[in-house]
Amino acid sequence: MFGFVTGDPGRLMRFMEQAGLSPAALRQAAEDPGLLVGLLDHVVADQDLLLACAQAIGETPERITLAWQRLGPPPPDSFGA
């Protein structure tokens, strides 16, 4: 997924702008597992991007969404239940 987003300058710039990352910060974050969660947030938020990413990496959109759900924070309504 990292390669899909970073492999196209337009997709990369949209992700960096949305995440508030400079090129230097992106290079530094590449080692951080939190970057994957941010990439998943970015991809899952846009259905067209999700479908294109799924096709490019040979996964189903459902599996990408499931990974996003598992790696992201718990839903707000699950606190104090």
Side-chain angles (χ1 to χ4, degrees):
M1 179 174 316
F2 185 78
F4 172 76
V5 173
T6 61
D8 176 87
R11 285 192 299 257
L12 176 59
M13 290 306 297
R14 281 189 299 280
F15 171 68
M16 289 174 57
E17 288 171 2
Q18 181 185 28
L21 293 172
S22 68
L26 179 62
R27 281 191 291 279
Q28 186 176 10
E31 304 278 330
D32 185 340
L35 181 63
L36 177 58
V37 175
L39 282 167
L40 284 166
D41 284 343
H42 177 71
V43 169
V44 171
D46 180 330
Q47 184 174 9
D48 291 335
L49 184 61
L50 173 62
L51 295 174
C53 180
Q55 182 177 13
I57 67 172
E59 275 300 340
T60 65
E62 294 80 14
R63 283 187 50 95
I64 294 172
T65 302
L66 181 60
W68 171 72
Q69 290 170 338
R70 288 186 177 170
L71 292 173
D77 61 342
S78 69
F79 292 107

